[in-house]
Amino acid sequence: MQLTQAQVNFFNTFGYLAIRNLFSADEIARITEGIEWSIQNRGGGTNHDGSKRTMFGGPIAHTPEMCAILDHPGIVGLISGVIGEDFNYCSGDGNYYTGNTRWHPDGNWGQLFAVKVAFYLDPLTRDTGCLRVIPGSQSPDHYIRREKINLNNSEELFGVPPSEFPGNVPLETQPGDIVIFNHDLYHAAYGGSQRRRMFTMNCTRHATTPEDLATAHKYLSIHSAGGGNFDTGAGMFFPTMIDTANEQRMVHLAQPIAIHDELFPQFARKRKAA
């Protein structure tokens, strides 16, 4: 997959891009089965009662088949099209979501540094928990950021509920559709069920300058296994993600592994001496 210039322009301007049917019905059925296995066996899903969100890290890192999502030409082409062919994969999370999520960005980097790729495994509409976005709100100059508006207080501020904040776009999706968005973009969901299945892949630009390296260290000090004080057994990623990687996948893993090992040496994988 290669993005058109119009798609790149759309992403850079509005902060998100929805791709329909990136995965076939057979592919998404296998992916859904893989996520269900992981959340039930590794993510506490057996205890999910709908009262709160159930979340676990490394959603595609537990089986070789799921790790291969990072090798999928559609996914590689999509991410490469917005942040470069040498992008860093920085893990993600798997979820059973419950109810509404408030308006929020995932970061405040002030630049296109990190993106989230979101997989929604159930049909979702504006009334059943689909992703909603505020186009352009990733920009430091957007009026929401400039005027420091709390969208979650819009009822008190403007007389409209947060779900109807002016200008928000509901991105209704079917399984197989993929949404990618800038970490700085404001987003939310309203009216969802008590067991919405969704997982993400977080990716950043490959850091080459001292400024980017500093930002990458800051990012991974928070958005990583070590940042959550969690021991995967192999540092930044669960072992299967690394052990099944070919040379091309390692392009996207190597820098996060090196930075994570530097930040959290206590969790670094112990490598056998030659």
Side-chain angles (χ1 to χ4, degrees):
M1 175 184 180
Q2 184 173 356
L3 295 183
T4 66
Q5 188 58 52
Q7 288 173 315
V8 173
N9 293 344
F10 188 99
F11 180 87
N12 287 338
T13 300
F14 300 114
Y16 72 96
L17 193 62
I19 304 295
R20 306 299 177 186
N21 301 310
L22 190 146
F23 287 95
S24 69
D26 287 343
E27 287 175 323
I28 206 64
R30 291 193 295 271
I31 289 169
T32 301
E33 182 180 359
I35 285 295
E36 283 286 352
W37 184 91
S38 290
I39 199 168
Q40 291 292 321
N41 290 277
R42 300 291 185 89
T46 55
N47 298 320
H48 183 80
D49 62 5
S51 63
K52 62 180 180 179
R53 172 188 182 186
T54 295
M55 180 179 70
F56 71 105
I60 70 170
H62 299 294
T63 66
E65 295 77 15
M66 291 298 286
C67 291
I69 292 173
L70 184 53
D71 309 324
H72 190 285
I75 289 296
V76 172
L78 175 61
I79 303 169
S80 296
V82 295
I83 55 172
E85 294 181 356
D86 57 352
F87 67 86
N88 290 335
Y89 171 60
C90 297
S91 194
D93 54 72
N95 302 272
Y96 286 156
Y97 268 105
T98 293
N100 301 333
T101 64
R102 293 163 59 85
W103 286 107
H104 65 283
D106 289 332
N108 292 288
W109 304 103
Q111 58 176 311
L112 176 53
F113 181 74
V115 298
K116 175 171 284 186
V117 183
F119 298 67
Y120 296 92
L121 303 180
D122 299 286
L124 297 175
T125 69
R126 62 178 297 139
D127 299 318
T128 60
C130 78
L131 181 72
R132 295 168 181 256
V133 299
I134 305 291
S137 58
Q138 80 282 358
S139 171
D141 295 328
H142 192 275
Y143 72 89
I144 289 173
R145 292 180 174 276
R146 188 176 64 247
E147 299 179 24
K148 297 181 171 58
I149 295 173
N150 185 338
L151 282 69
N152 299 300
N153 290 339
S154 65
E155 186 82 62
E156 296 83 353
L157 291 171
F158 309 115
V160 295
S163 60
E164 301 306 316
F165 190 87
N168 92 77
V169 175
L171 300 176
E172 298 185 335
T173 55
Q174 292 290 325
D177 298 343
I178 301 298
V179 180
I180 185 170
F181 58 95
N182 189 315
H183 261 222
D184 288 10
L185 187 75
Y186 275 86
H187 57 284
Y190 290 92
S193 71
Q194 306 304 299
R195 192 177 178 274
R196 299 196 312 283
R197 297 172 298 181
M198 176 262 205
F199 72 94
T200 67
M201 296 170 60
N202 291 321
C203 302
T204 72
R205 293 201 317 262
H206 188 86
T208 56
T209 68
E211 293 78 13
D212 273 0
L213 283 167
T215 302
H217 279 72
K218 184 176 180 180
Y219 182 92
L220 289 172
S221 71
I222 303 168
H223 298 281
S224 67
N229 199 35
F230 182 82
D231 187 357
T232 66
M236 177 69 195
F237 303 105
F238 286 94
T240 306
M241 177 59 75
I242 302 170
D243 294 343
T244 62
N246 59 20
E247 183 177 352
Q248 183 54 46
R249 188 192 300 171
M250 285 305 301
V251 169
H252 310 303
L253 304 182
Q255 189 170 70
I257 288 171
I259 293 175
H260 191 272
D261 284 357
E262 181 182 344
L263 289 170
F264 306 104
Q266 70 274 28
F267 294 135
R269 191 174 196 177
K270 304 299 185 293
R271 294 172 176 82
K272 294 180 180 180

